[in-house]
Short mmCIF file of all heavy atoms in Angstrom, two decimals:
data_model
loop_
_atom_site.label_atom_id
_atom_site.label_comp_id
_atom_site.label_asym_id
_atom_site.label_seq_id
_atom_site.Cartn_x
_atom_site.Cartn_y
_atom_site.Cartn_z
N LYS A 1428 -51.42 -61.30 35.74
CA LYS A 1428 -50.38 -60.30 35.54
C LYS A 1428 -49.87 -60.27 34.10
O LYS A 1428 -49.27 -59.30 33.68
CB LYS A 1428 -49.20 -60.57 36.48
CG LYS A 1428 -49.54 -60.29 37.95
CD LYS A 1428 -48.35 -60.60 38.82
CE LYS A 1428 -48.66 -60.32 40.29
NZ LYS A 1428 -47.51 -60.66 41.16
N ALA A 1429 -50.08 -61.37 33.38
CA ALA A 1429 -49.58 -61.44 32.01
C ALA A 1429 -50.29 -60.42 31.14
O ALA A 1429 -51.51 -60.21 31.28
CB ALA A 1429 -49.78 -62.84 31.43
N PRO A 1430 -49.55 -59.72 30.26
CA PRO A 1430 -50.20 -58.73 29.41
C PRO A 1430 -51.17 -59.39 28.43
O PRO A 1430 -50.92 -60.49 27.93
CB PRO A 1430 -49.03 -58.09 28.66
CG PRO A 1430 -47.94 -59.12 28.69
CD PRO A 1430 -48.11 -59.85 29.99
N ALA A 1431 -52.25 -58.72 28.19
CA ALA A 1431 -53.25 -59.25 27.26
C ALA A 1431 -52.69 -59.25 25.85
O ALA A 1431 -51.99 -58.32 25.45
CB ALA A 1431 -54.52 -58.41 27.33
N ARG A 1432 -52.99 -60.28 25.11
CA ARG A 1432 -52.54 -60.35 23.72
C ARG A 1432 -53.41 -59.46 22.85
O ARG A 1432 -54.63 -59.36 23.02
CB ARG A 1432 -52.63 -61.79 23.20
CG ARG A 1432 -51.63 -62.73 23.85
CD ARG A 1432 -51.75 -64.11 23.24
NE ARG A 1432 -50.78 -65.02 23.80
CZ ARG A 1432 -50.70 -66.31 23.46
NH1 ARG A 1432 -51.54 -66.80 22.58
NH2 ARG A 1432 -49.80 -67.09 24.01
N LYS A 1433 -52.78 -58.81 21.91
CA LYS A 1433 -53.53 -58.00 20.98
C LYS A 1433 -54.17 -58.90 19.92
O LYS A 1433 -53.56 -59.86 19.46
CB LYS A 1433 -52.62 -56.98 20.29
CG LYS A 1433 -52.08 -55.91 21.24
CD LYS A 1433 -51.23 -54.92 20.46
CE LYS A 1433 -50.72 -53.82 21.40
NZ LYS A 1433 -49.88 -52.84 20.66
N SER A 1434 -55.40 -58.59 19.60
CA SER A 1434 -56.07 -59.38 18.56
C SER A 1434 -55.50 -59.04 17.20
O SER A 1434 -54.86 -58.00 17.01
CB SER A 1434 -57.58 -59.10 18.58
OG SER A 1434 -57.81 -57.73 18.30
N ALA A 1435 -55.73 -59.95 16.26
CA ALA A 1435 -55.24 -59.73 14.90
C ALA A 1435 -55.93 -58.51 14.29
O ALA A 1435 -57.07 -58.19 14.65
CB ALA A 1435 -55.52 -60.97 14.05
N PRO A 1436 -55.25 -57.82 13.42
CA PRO A 1436 -55.88 -56.65 12.80
C PRO A 1436 -57.12 -57.07 12.00
O PRO A 1436 -57.18 -58.18 11.47
CB PRO A 1436 -54.79 -56.11 11.87
CG PRO A 1436 -53.87 -57.25 11.64
CD PRO A 1436 -53.90 -58.06 12.90
N PRO A 1437 -58.12 -56.22 11.94
CA PRO A 1437 -59.35 -56.59 11.22
C PRO A 1437 -59.09 -56.76 9.73
O PRO A 1437 -58.11 -56.23 9.19
CB PRO A 1437 -60.28 -55.40 11.48
CG PRO A 1437 -59.36 -54.25 11.76
CD PRO A 1437 -58.17 -54.85 12.47
N ALA A 1438 -59.97 -57.52 9.10
CA ALA A 1438 -59.85 -57.73 7.66
C ALA A 1438 -59.96 -56.39 6.94
O ALA A 1438 -60.60 -55.47 7.41
CB ALA A 1438 -60.94 -58.68 7.18
N THR A 1439 -59.29 -56.33 5.82
CA THR A 1439 -59.31 -55.09 5.04
C THR A 1439 -60.75 -54.75 4.64
O THR A 1439 -61.41 -55.56 3.99
CB THR A 1439 -58.45 -55.23 3.77
OG1 THR A 1439 -57.15 -55.64 4.14
CG2 THR A 1439 -58.39 -53.91 3.01
N PRO A 1440 -61.25 -53.60 5.07
CA PRO A 1440 -62.63 -53.27 4.72
C PRO A 1440 -62.77 -52.89 3.25
O PRO A 1440 -61.84 -52.39 2.64
CB PRO A 1440 -62.93 -52.07 5.64
CG PRO A 1440 -61.59 -51.41 5.84
CD PRO A 1440 -60.58 -52.56 5.85
N ASN A 1441 -63.95 -53.15 2.74
CA ASN A 1441 -64.29 -52.73 1.38
C ASN A 1441 -63.25 -53.20 0.33
O ASN A 1441 -62.86 -52.45 -0.55
CB ASN A 1441 -64.43 -51.20 1.30
CG ASN A 1441 -65.48 -50.69 2.25
OD1 ASN A 1441 -66.53 -51.30 2.38
ND2 ASN A 1441 -65.19 -49.59 2.92
N ARG A 1442 -62.81 -54.44 0.50
CA ARG A 1442 -61.86 -54.98 -0.45
C ARG A 1442 -62.51 -55.05 -1.84
O ARG A 1442 -63.70 -55.35 -1.96
CB ARG A 1442 -61.43 -56.38 0.01
CG ARG A 1442 -60.13 -56.85 -0.59
CD ARG A 1442 -59.54 -58.00 0.20
NE ARG A 1442 -60.40 -59.17 0.20
CZ ARG A 1442 -60.67 -59.90 1.28
NH1 ARG A 1442 -60.15 -59.58 2.45
NH2 ARG A 1442 -61.45 -60.96 1.21
N GLU A 1443 -61.72 -54.76 -2.85
CA GLU A 1443 -62.28 -54.74 -4.21
C GLU A 1443 -62.84 -56.10 -4.57
O GLU A 1443 -62.28 -57.14 -4.24
CB GLU A 1443 -61.19 -54.35 -5.21
CG GLU A 1443 -61.71 -54.16 -6.62
CD GLU A 1443 -60.61 -53.85 -7.62
OE1 GLU A 1443 -59.42 -53.96 -7.26
OE2 GLU A 1443 -60.95 -53.51 -8.77
#
Side-chain angles (χ1 to χ4, degrees):
K1428 290 179 180 178
R1432 291 182 178 178
K1433 293 182 178 180
S1434 61
T1439 305
N1441 302 319
R1442 200 162 62 224
E1443 186 183 9

